[in-house]
Amino acid sequence: MKTFIVDAMLGKLATWLRLTGHDAFYSTKAHDDELLRIALEQDRVLLTSDAILSRRAEEVGVECMLVRGSVDDEVASVFSKYGISPDADPSKSRCTKCNGSLTHLKEEEKERIKNLVPEQTYNHYTDFWFCEYCKSVFFHGGQWTNINAYMNRIAQLIKELET
Ligand SMILES: [Zn+2]
């Protein structure tokens, strides 16, 4: 599976890659030289909206895609090019905040995150996903309805791109 490095302008794209289980390095602080160095060292595909950076990437042998358009266009074009299925599933996702991999906590383990979520949330859900790196907690709550709706929209756009 390809891994990615995403420039600072494309934060939403990084989030959608992570939600669909892809390793996407993203930092708002990394400058161009650093992005190119990390892409080379870790064999990551660079996604950027900056034509100059894209040319530099080509010169140093970094695989790169120049991503343009609205957020929806960005997501659909990258997913289409790299064969990414618009299917966000918490059991496959990476942490949207730090790109860490998530640990699934079953009901008997969920006490570990008791102090990290509101009591109501804790009592209502049985399955939680926990990022060991930044201690973020994810659960299959109402936000997944929106996530799934957006993924359906992206699926439609991909279909349009590919016909
Ligand atoms: Zn995290």
Side-chain angles (χ1 to χ4, degrees):
M1 200 199 281
K2 294 260 189 208
T3 58
F4 299 93
I5 183 163
V6 180
D7 87 16
M9 308 290 290
L10 301 174
K12 290 220 171 74
L13 175 61
T15 299
W16 287 106
L17 286 167
R18 289 171 178 176
L19 279 167
T20 52
H22 294 81
D23 180 340
F25 179 99
Y26 174 77
S27 159
T28 50
K29 292 180 201 102
H31 49 75
D32 289 1
D33 292 336
E34 215 171 335
L35 294 176
L36 291 172
R37 181 179 56 77
I38 295 167
L40 268 180
E41 278 175 9
Q42 302 180 4
D43 195 24
R44 290 176 183 270
V45 177
L46 175 64
L47 303 174
T48 181
S49 53
D50 177 349
I52 295 167
L53 179 58
S54 156
R55 251 198 321 273
R56 285 189 62 201
E58 256 172 57
E59 283 164 15
V60 296
V62 166
E63 183 176 348
C64 179
M65 178 178 174
L66 186 59
V67 182
R68 286 280 166 84
S70 66
V71 172
D72 294 3
D73 294 335
E74 291 164 13
V75 174
S77 61
V78 170
F79 279 31
S80 170
K81 176 162 180 182
Y82 292 102
I84 295 168
S85 154
D87 175 23
D89 172 353
S91 60
K92 289 189 312 194
S93 289
R94 297 179 77 93
C95 178
T96 52
K97 299 207 173 78
C98 81
N99 198 39
S101 49
L102 300 180
T103 305
H104 181 203
L105 303 178
K106 293 187 206 74
E107 191 159 14
E108 60 273 21
E109 302 160 305
K110 78 173 189 177
E111 249 188 73
R112 286 184 62 195
I113 51 94
K114 188 163 186 161
N115 299 321
L116 297 172
V117 292
E119 195 183 343
Q120 219 184 346
T121 303
Y122 182 81
N123 292 332
H124 187 75
Y125 295 98
T126 48
D127 285 280
F128 289 89
W129 287 266
F130 178 58
C131 176
E132 309 274 357
Y133 302 95
C134 75
K135 313 295 175 208
S136 292
V137 177
F138 301 88
F139 52 92
H140 215 158
Q143 84 274 23
W144 282 94
T145 313
N146 298 335
I147 287 170
N148 289 335
Y150 187 72
M151 288 287 94
N152 286 339
R153 178 171 161 62
I154 293 302
Q156 191 56 44
L157 283 175
I158 290 173
K159 231 184 261 168
E160 285 165 24
L161 278 176
E162 292 177 356
T163 49

